[in-house]
């Protein structure tokens, strides 16, 4: 990494706050008898490498804590800087947020009425996953959240010196807890542990962020000069909802059984009802409005009387309390109607739409008597909670691999006495012939008590759980049936066939209908290229059309919607960063067109990970770069692993990230709808760049000896042995790059500071274009800043390059035992790195560091500690591999190694 003299503005606060926290940590270590470790923090800018006699595990843990301190002061500084800029310059100053988005739409010529009419169509759904990229235990994450709040609290100038000392003491107590607690998972977490972490955000973080999101939209609306009355009603606001994969995602995850899915749905539901119960109880305490001072509306009194009669004894009990306070009685009746898992369910709500209607009635009753402010402050947040979380908290998706489904179908055919043992090998025409014939018949293959193979039993048991839940509670809490590695139309129709064995598919007058959406997941570059034809064939199937119409009626939607998931990870692993992102761009545009041809709106589900190589990048630039007409106001997006804590652990940061997403979707949707869809002249150039970039990337990974280089020059063996998630690192256990999941693939390259997956191939592609078509290259340079898709790709490449350090990477390469292979492959990598840097600097007319000063400073601040940790990790890798080779005990070495993995991940703020 170059050490150019680049100083980003606004880092003085970071350095000042970091100095305070490091001093607190030093004092804590000294007071707890660990002065030798305190010496490692003697200089925050250039810490000592440490006494070789100190335990590596403790040194790594110390630096991991220091990195987290730096992370949180940067997070706080960013939040405070945004607030300061908004206070001084207005909400339109910040890129990507509501203020800027509304101003840009005004400049486009849209009126307030046009924008307001579109906002209720805006729906954003983050989907929380447990992909194994969160390296920290939940108890450590809790301590980090508490520490952040103390840092924020310390800034308040109202505190006396004594109170400031109390805050400092509380910070030191937390630091001691972190120092004395183990940071890593000694054993792999189970699914229930991962679910508890996800529920923490769904139950404790997002509900308190909702009111802030609504307030910021309304404030930006008025600042833009728009009529506040247009957004006065909650129904005029954008919608936020959440999805969940924990307990439903079983792709290569044998621990996610039907029982786990059933328990997950129950736990999500229990927490959703508990959340509403808490908020309603608070409203009941506060709405002590008396009939002696105001007359309740007649419609409200009618509702109270009718609902009390519906509930019988429970209704009478609600009316006996608060006799002259009918608003309290109304809330008590709503409380009495909350669904319960057991006991008397007579009169209880079955769907969230019912409680939403009753909360809207409560709000209207207050507005009618002139208590609009009370309605807005006391009732509207709970109404929005009900709209967002319902009785399910988050919609649980079920994902399974197409290959697993093939095995399940083969077992069903065999159980039915048919010859289908080689179903996975059948040509597509033969598969479709069988599926079309069977899907015209309502009869299942087997009986409920039939003995089936493991795969068929697993799929059908899961579907039965979903069908039972839908029968008892409706489908609000159920997401989609997602088919990973979708390769053909038959991969999707197979799901209908399997679901036909359960009540999830039922017979109607017009034929079979599937209650839940079946969603393709296109992951590899080849599958992305085939995806338009696959979607066309799927939408033309009668069962799909019937199912989409049924699902529209169930949801109350106005249009037919087919969800399509696109994966960023495997396409990157296949062809590198430029080819992956451009193929995703092309595929979205083509898929959206296929949907329009069939009268169906395609709802894209973006499977983004936490790193550039797996789809991460600035949210507002991501939404700006989406293809024209690929957004219908509606977007789903995964939030994976460590990004959940980084983006949502703290209230202001969570609100900022959700606002970026919602404002970005609204802005892009309206821009697409009010501007022509014109092909950009650089699109053919991007096709060429994607092809040549992919060629360079594939040449590297197919190079003789590359797999050995990867396995020895990165800590992949440590990553595979880590306990950071319940999911195995490989789909089938084969020792190949194709079988390796994208997460450990990317994780390993980032740990060893190659960051190869985020930049390799870009330089060769740009250089080739410049040599063969200078005019096209100059055109690319002219549009590098103003064409959003190109800017997004090149910015992501530069981010990965700044994160890389080939000096450190060379030390990892030194672990390779074959000198000739190491020299050949590492020379190839360093050559492409230099080529990519030169091309980027030519395109953007300046050093990469100068163009990205904030990112450069962020990485440079961590570099001294990181260098020490990389050195320790390389030493431990040698010891660990030697012990494994000699068949000697290696668990103690592995634990130390995993602590360095965790610490480096904290410093880089990324895993996989």
């Amino acid at each position: 990494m170059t050490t150019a003299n680049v100083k980003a503005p606004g880092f003085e606060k970071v350095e000042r706050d970091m100095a305070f926290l490091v001093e607190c940590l030093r004092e804590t270590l000294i007071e707890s008898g660990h002065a030798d470790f305190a010496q490692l923090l003697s200089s925050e800018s250039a810490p000592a490498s440490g006494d070789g006699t100190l335990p590596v595990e403790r040194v790594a843990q110390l630096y991991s804590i220091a990195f987290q301190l730096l992370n949180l002061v940067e997070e706080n500084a960013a939040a405070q800087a945004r607030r300061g800029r908004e206070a001084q310059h207005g909400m339109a100053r910040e890129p990507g947020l509501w203020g800027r988005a509304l101003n840009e739409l005004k400049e486009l010529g849209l009126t307030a009425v046009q924008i307001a009419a579109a906002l209720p169509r805006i729906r954003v759904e983050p989907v929380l996953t447990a992909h194994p990229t969160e390296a920290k235990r939940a108890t450590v994450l809790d301590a980090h959240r508490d520490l952040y709040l103390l840092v924020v609290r310390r800034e308040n100038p109202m505190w006396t010196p004594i109170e400031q000392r109390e805050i400092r003491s509380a910070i030191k107590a937390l630091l001691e807890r972190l120092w004395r607690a183990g940071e890593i998972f000694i054993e792999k977490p189970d699914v229930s542990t991962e679910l508890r972490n996800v529920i923490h955000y769904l139950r404790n973080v997002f509900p308190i962020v909702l009111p802030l999101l609504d307030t910021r939209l309304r404030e930006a609306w008025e600042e833009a000069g728009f009529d506040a009355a247009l957004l006065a009603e909650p129904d005029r606001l954008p919608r936020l909802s959440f999805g969940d994969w924990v307990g439903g995602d079983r792709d290569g995850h044998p621990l996610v059984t039907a029982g786990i899915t059933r328990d997950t749905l129950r736990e999500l539901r229990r927490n959703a009802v508990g959340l509403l119960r808490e908020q309603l109880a608070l409203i009941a305490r506060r709405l002590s409005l008396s009939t002696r001072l105001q007359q309740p509306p007649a419609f409200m009194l009618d509702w109270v009387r009718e609902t009390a009669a519906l509930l019988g004894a429970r209704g009478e009990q609600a009316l006996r309390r608060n006799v002259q306070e009918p608003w309290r009685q109304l809330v008590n009746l709503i409380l009495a109607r909350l669904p319960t898992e057991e006991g008397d369910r007579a009169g209880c709500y079955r769907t969230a739409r019912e409680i939403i209607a009753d909360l809207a009635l409560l709000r209207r009753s207050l507005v009618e008597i002139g208590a609009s402010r009370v309605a807005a402050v006391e009732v509207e947040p709970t109404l929005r909670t009900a709209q967002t979380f319902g009785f399910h908290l988050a919609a649980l998706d079920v994902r399974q691999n197409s290959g697993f489904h093939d095995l399940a179908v083969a077992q069903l055919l065999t159980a039915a006495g048919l010859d289908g043992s080689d179903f996975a090998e059948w040509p597509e025409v033969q598969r479709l012939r069988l599926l079309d014939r069977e899907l015209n018949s309502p009869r299942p293959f087997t009986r409920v008590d039939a003995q089936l193979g493991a795969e068929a039993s697993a799929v059908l048991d899961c579907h039965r759980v979903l069908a039972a839940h839908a029968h008892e509670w409706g489908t609000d809490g159920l997401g989609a049936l997602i088919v990973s590695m979708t390769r053909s139309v038959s991969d999707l129709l197979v799901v209908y066939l399997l679901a036909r064995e359960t009540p999830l598919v039922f017979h109607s007058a017009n034929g079979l209908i599937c209650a839940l959406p079946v969603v393709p997941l296109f992951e590899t570059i080849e599958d992305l290229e085939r995806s338009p034809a696959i979607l066309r064939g799927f939408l033309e199937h009668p069962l799909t059309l019937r199912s989409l119409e049924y699902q529209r009626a169930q949801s109350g939607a106005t249009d037919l919607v087919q969800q399509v998931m696109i994966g960023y990870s495997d396409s990157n692993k296949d062809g590198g960063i430029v080819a992956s992102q451009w193929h995703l761009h092309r595929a979205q545009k083509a898929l959206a067109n296929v949907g329009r041809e069939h009268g169906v709106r395609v709802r894209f589900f973006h499977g983004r990970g936490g790193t550039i190589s797996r789809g991460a990048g600035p949210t507002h630039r991501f939404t700006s770069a989406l293809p024209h007409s690929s957004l219908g106001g509606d977007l789903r997006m995964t939030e994976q692993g460590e990004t959940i804590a980084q983006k949502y652990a703290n209230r202001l940061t969570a609100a900022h990230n959700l606002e970026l997403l919602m404002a970005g979707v609204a802005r892009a949707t309206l821009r697409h709808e009010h501007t022509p869809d014109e092909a950009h002249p650089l699109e053919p150039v991007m096709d060429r760049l994607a092809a040549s970039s992919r060629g360079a990337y594939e040449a590297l990974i197919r190079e003789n000896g590359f797999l050995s280089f990867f396995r020895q020059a990165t800590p992949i063996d440590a990553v595979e042995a880590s306990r950071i998630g319940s999911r195995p690192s490989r789909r089938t256990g084969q020792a190949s790059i194709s079988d390796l999941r994208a997460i450990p693939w990317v994780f390993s390259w980032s740990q060893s500071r190659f960051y190869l997956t985020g930049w390799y191939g870009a330089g060769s592609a740009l250089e080739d274009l410049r040599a063969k078509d200078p005019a096209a290259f100059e055109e690319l340079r002219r549009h590098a800043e103003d064409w959003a898709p190109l800017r997004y790709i090149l910015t992501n490449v530069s981010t990965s390059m700044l994160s890389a350090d080939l000096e450190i990477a060379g030390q990892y390469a030194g672990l390779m035992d074959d000198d000739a292979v190491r020299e050949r492959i590492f020379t190839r990598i360093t050559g492409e790195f230099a080529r990519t840097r030169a091309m980027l600097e030519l395109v953007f007319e300046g050093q990469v560091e100068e163009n990205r000063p904030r990112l450069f400073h962020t990485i440079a601040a961590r570099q001294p500690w990181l260098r020490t940790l990389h050195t320790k990790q390389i030493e431990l890798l040698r010891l660990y591999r030697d012990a494994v080779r000699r068949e000697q005990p290696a668990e103690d070495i592995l634990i130390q190694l995993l602590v360095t993995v965790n610490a480096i991940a904290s410093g880089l703020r990324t895993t996989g």
Side-chain angles (χ1 to χ4, degrees):
M1 177 189 226
T2 182
T3 55
N5 184 21
V6 178
K7 182 70 172 180
F11 266 81
E12 293 80 7
K13 176 176 172 53
V14 171
E15 293 171 349
R16 186 170 60 251
D17 290 350
M18 185 61 181
F20 168 79
L21 289 177
V22 167
E23 185 58 28
C24 287
L25 181 55
R26 284 186 70 256
E27 291 175 9
T28 300
L29 292 169
I30 293 169
E31 291 164 7
S32 61
H34 296 98
D36 45 358
F37 288 96
Q39 293 177 0
L40 301 184
L41 298 169
S42 59
S43 170
E44 65 193 73
S45 60
S49 61
D51 185 340
T53 62
L54 295 177
V56 172
E57 182 177 348
R58 295 297 261 164
V59 172
Q61 184 185 6
L62 175 62
Y63 288 158
S64 182
I65 294 170
F67 286 138
Q68 189 56 42
L69 298 182
L70 186 52
N71 294 340
L72 70 87
V73 298
E74 287 176 345
E75 181 181 345
N76 180 50
Q80 300 308 327
R82 287 193 301 270
R83 296 176 71 187
R85 288 191 296 270
E86 283 192 357
Q88 185 175 0
H89 303 288
M91 298 181 75
R93 172 66 180 267
E94 290 300 302
L97 301 180
W98 278 119
R100 178 75 67 85
L102 294 175
N103 268 24
E104 290 180 3
L105 293 174
K106 275 177 62 178
E107 292 169 1
L108 197 61
L110 274 70
T111 66
V113 172
Q114 287 176 304
I115 300 171
L119 287 180
R121 292 192 287 116
I122 304 303
R123 182 187 173 199
V124 170
E125 186 169 341
V127 180
L128 308 185
T129 82
H131 280 55
T133 63
E134 174 53 79
K136 297 180 181 64
R137 298 165 57 210
T139 53
V140 172
L141 292 172
D142 287 340
H144 292 165
R145 284 189 280 263
D146 293 341
L147 191 57
Y148 180 88
L149 293 176
L150 285 169
V151 169
V152 174
R153 185 182 175 200
R154 173 178 171 266
E155 295 187 327
N156 194 322
M158 67 176 283
W159 305 120
T160 67
I162 291 176
E163 290 167 331
Q164 283 281 4
R165 285 196 293 273
E166 289 176 352
I167 294 172
R168 184 186 181 99
S169 178
I171 289 173
K172 289 171 65 175
L174 267 174
L175 291 173
E176 184 169 0
R177 274 175 50 195
L178 287 170
W179 175 243
R180 294 184 182 276
E183 286 230 346
I184 66 166
F185 293 104
I186 300 302
E187 298 179 356
K188 290 179 78 68
D190 56 20
V191 179
S192 62
T193 301
E194 294 170 332
L195 181 63
R196 282 196 299 273
N197 188 48
V198 165
I199 287 177
H200 166 81
Y201 292 93
L202 293 168
R203 175 83 183 260
N204 302 318
V205 177
F206 296 129
I208 65 173
V209 170
L210 278 174
L212 181 56
L213 289 171
D214 290 345
T215 297
R216 286 188 55 81
L217 170 56
R218 284 170 166 152
E219 291 287 343
W221 185 263
E222 292 191 49
E223 189 180 282
F226 295 156
D227 182 2
L230 289 171
L231 298 189
E233 297 292 325
D235 287 345
R236 304 307 302 271
L237 300 173
R239 294 295 177 89
L240 180 66
S241 58
F242 293 92
D244 171 43
W245 274 17
V246 182
D249 181 14
R250 56 234 313 127
D251 178 12
H253 199 328
L255 300 179
V256 180
T257 62
I260 289 290
T261 297
R262 181 175 53 249
D263 293 345
T264 298
L265 288 167
R266 184 183 300 120
E267 194 65 12
L268 288 169
R269 185 173 182 81
R270 185 182 69 80
N271 276 276
V273 174
L275 172 63
L276 285 168
R277 191 181 303 280
E278 289 172 3
Q279 294 193 2
L280 286 165
L282 186 60
I283 295 176
R285 289 198 297 273
R286 291 176 172 174
L287 285 187
S288 55
L289 284 70
S290 171
T291 54
R292 298 176 62 184
L293 301 176
Q294 52 261 307
Q295 178 60 38
F299 69 82
M300 171 188 161
L301 295 176
D302 290 342
W303 184 94
V304 169
R305 184 172 56 256
E306 293 167 3
T307 304
L310 175 70
L311 291 172
R314 284 180 292 141
E316 292 177 9
Q317 182 182 7
L319 293 185
R320 279 197 295 270
R321 293 177 294 166
N322 316 118
V323 175
Q324 293 185 335
E325 299 174 336
W327 283 274
R328 268 187 170 174
Q329 291 178 326
L330 191 157
V331 178
N332 287 332
L333 288 168
I334 293 177
L335 276 164
R337 293 195 68 190
L338 287 177
T340 177
E341 296 288 336
E342 52 193 28
D344 181 14
R345 293 186 185 176
C348 287
Y349 298 117
R350 185 169 185 270
T351 70
R353 283 185 285 277
E354 297 169 312
I355 192 174
I356 289 169
D358 288 348
L359 286 167
L361 181 142
L362 171 61
R363 180 186 177 279
R364 184 160 61 93
S365 72
L366 291 167
V367 172
E368 187 145 318
I369 65 168
S372 297
R373 189 173 298 278
V374 174
V377 173
E378 303 297 349
V379 178
E380 192 171 309
T382 301
L383 173 56
R384 295 287 279 166
T385 295
Q387 291 174 336
T388 300
F389 301 100
F391 294 145
H392 60 277
L393 208 62
L396 183 69
D397 287 337
V398 168
R399 183 176 72 141
Q400 185 53 276
N401 192 279
S402 59
F404 194 97
H405 285 157
D406 283 349
L407 293 173
V409 170
Q411 292 162 8
L412 277 181
L413 292 173
T414 301
L418 302 173
D419 182 14
S421 59
D422 59 345
F423 176 76
E425 309 304 322
W426 287 11
E428 179 72 353
V429 171
Q430 185 181 358
R431 286 162 63 100
L432 288 174
R433 190 181 303 124
L434 168 78
L435 291 166
D436 285 336
R437 182 179 71 244
E438 289 299 327
L439 293 175
N440 280 319
S441 169
R443 59 120 178 92
F445 275 130
T446 61
R447 301 184 309 275
V448 174
D449 59 349
Q451 296 297 312
L452 302 173
E455 285 78 9
S457 295
V459 173
L460 299 192
D461 287 348
C462 171
H463 286 182
R464 291 184 183 113
V465 165
L466 301 178
H469 183 91
H471 175 74
E472 188 168 11
W473 303 111
T475 57
D476 284 351
L478 303 178
L481 303 173
I482 300 173
V483 184
S484 60
M485 292 296 172
T486 298
R487 307 152 301 181
S488 62
V489 176
S490 64
D491 283 340
L492 301 174
L493 299 181
V494 153
V495 181
Y496 290 146
L497 185 68
L498 291 164
R500 189 191 62 172
E501 304 297 304
T502 72
L504 208 55
V505 162
F506 56 91
H507 190 66
S508 72
N510 296 320
L512 293 177
I513 289 174
C514 186
L516 298 181
V518 174
V519 172
L521 167 49
F522 300 115
E523 300 180 79
T524 68
I525 288 180
E526 286 75 15
D527 291 340
L528 287 168
E529 291 172 336
R530 288 192 292 260
S531 64
I534 294 172
L535 181 63
R536 182 176 290 107
F538 184 56
L539 292 178
E540 289 172 354
H541 198 280
L543 200 160
T544 299
L545 183 59
R546 289 193 299 268
S547 299
L548 291 180
E549 289 172 340
Y550 169 81
Q551 291 152 17
R552 172 175 63 180
Q554 290 296 107
S555 66
T558 57
D559 49 3
L560 298 179
V561 178
Q562 172 63 51
Q563 189 180 150
V564 173
M565 186 172 182
I566 51 175
Y568 290 69
S569 305
D570 284 278
S571 58
N572 177 281
K573 186 158 71 80
D574 284 349
I577 184 74
V578 177
S580 168
Q581 297 205 350
W582 185 244
H583 276 86
L584 286 160
H585 185 93
R586 282 292 205 193
Q588 287 176 75
K589 195 154 191 169
L591 289 163
N593 287 336
V594 170
R596 279 190 291 276
E597 291 169 8
H598 293 79
V600 173
R601 177 169 62 81
V602 174
R603 182 191 192 197
F604 283 105
F605 180 9
H606 296 265
R608 303 174 79 210
T611 63
I612 294 296
S613 302
R614 299 186 52 247
T619 299
H620 63 292
R621 290 185 177 169
F622 162 71
T623 53
S624 295
L626 290 173
H628 196 287
S629 304
S630 65
L631 269 174
D634 190 357
L635 178 141
R636 294 187 96 206
M637 184 181 78
T638 53
E639 296 286 17
Q640 300 182 8
E642 81 280 0
T643 62
I644 298 175
Q646 289 174 6
K647 294 171 71 170
Y648 302 120
N650 303 305
R651 178 172 172 264
L652 287 181
T653 306
H656 174 69
N657 283 297
L658 289 172
E659 183 180 345
L660 282 172
L661 195 54
M662 298 180 77
V665 170
R667 173 188 171 278
T669 297
L670 285 166
R671 179 173 286 277
H672 292 174
E673 291 176 354
H674 291 87
T675 57
D677 182 8
E678 298 175 343
H680 195 281
L682 280 177
E683 288 182 12
V685 175
M686 289 303 300
D687 290 335
R688 291 162 59 186
L689 283 177
S692 56
S693 171
R694 182 182 181 184
Y697 178 86
E698 289 180 341
L700 173 71
I701 64 174
R702 292 172 181 170
E703 176 80 18
N704 184 36
F706 178 78
L707 181 58
S708 296
F709 180 88
F710 166 66
R711 294 210 63 85
Q712 294 184 52
T714 76
I716 178 60
D717 41 354
V719 170
E720 289 181 321
S722 66
R723 283 80 168 196
I724 61 176
S726 61
R727 180 189 303 277
S729 63
R730 293 181 178 274
R731 284 188 167 91
T732 67
Q734 298 175 10
S736 65
I737 292 176
S738 60
D739 188 63
L740 185 69
R741 290 185 179 276
I743 290 170
W745 167 257
V746 174
F747 197 168
S748 303
W749 288 117
S750 63
Q751 277 275 307
S752 51
R753 300 299 292 278
F754 284 90
Y755 276 85
L756 183 115
T757 54
W759 56 265
Y760 198 95
S764 289
L766 289 167
E767 186 178 73
D768 184 67
L769 178 68
R770 183 180 180 225
K772 294 179 179 177
D773 194 343
F777 184 80
E778 286 305 311
E779 182 78 359
L780 181 144
R781 287 183 62 190
R782 282 195 295 273
H783 291 287
E785 293 284 358
D786 59 40
W787 188 35
L790 174 61
R791 180 183 180 184
Y792 186 66
I793 291 173
L794 295 182
T795 298
N796 285 343
V797 171
S798 70
T799 297
S800 297
M801 293 198 69
L802 279 173
S803 301
D805 187 322
L806 290 200
E807 182 183 338
I808 292 174
Q811 296 172 30
Y812 281 90
L815 293 166
M816 179 74 185
D817 55 15
D818 188 320
D819 294 345
V821 171
R822 178 183 66 241
E823 182 66 23
R824 174 163 40 86
I825 292 179
F826 190 64
T827 298
R828 190 165 192 160
I829 291 171
T830 55
E832 179 67 12
F833 187 85
R835 190 176 299 113
T836 305
R837 169 183 283 278
M839 288 296 103
L840 285 180
E841 292 179 349
L842 193 57
V843 169
F844 290 111
E845 298 182 340
Q847 284 193 347
V848 177
E849 294 79 13
E850 292 172 347
N851 288 320
R852 307 292 302 282
R854 183 166 296 277
L855 177 61
F856 173 77
H857 191 285
T858 297
I859 296 169
R862 292 159 169 76
Q863 190 70 342
W865 282 324
L866 281 169
R867 285 185 178 277
T868 298
L869 289 168
H870 286 302
T871 299
K872 299 292 185 185
Q873 186 178 87
I874 291 167
E875 293 172 0
L876 288 167
L877 281 169
R878 284 198 174 94
L879 292 172
Y880 175 69
R881 290 169 180 174
D882 185 61
V884 170
R885 188 162 48 248
R886 296 171 181 269
E887 299 184 352
Q888 295 175 347
E891 182 67 16
D892 288 345
I893 303 172
L894 178 61
I895 295 298
Q896 296 179 60
L897 190 52
L898 295 182
V899 175
T900 67
V901 169
N902 177 68
I904 291 171
S906 292
L908 297 173
R909 298 208 74 180
T910 184
T911 52

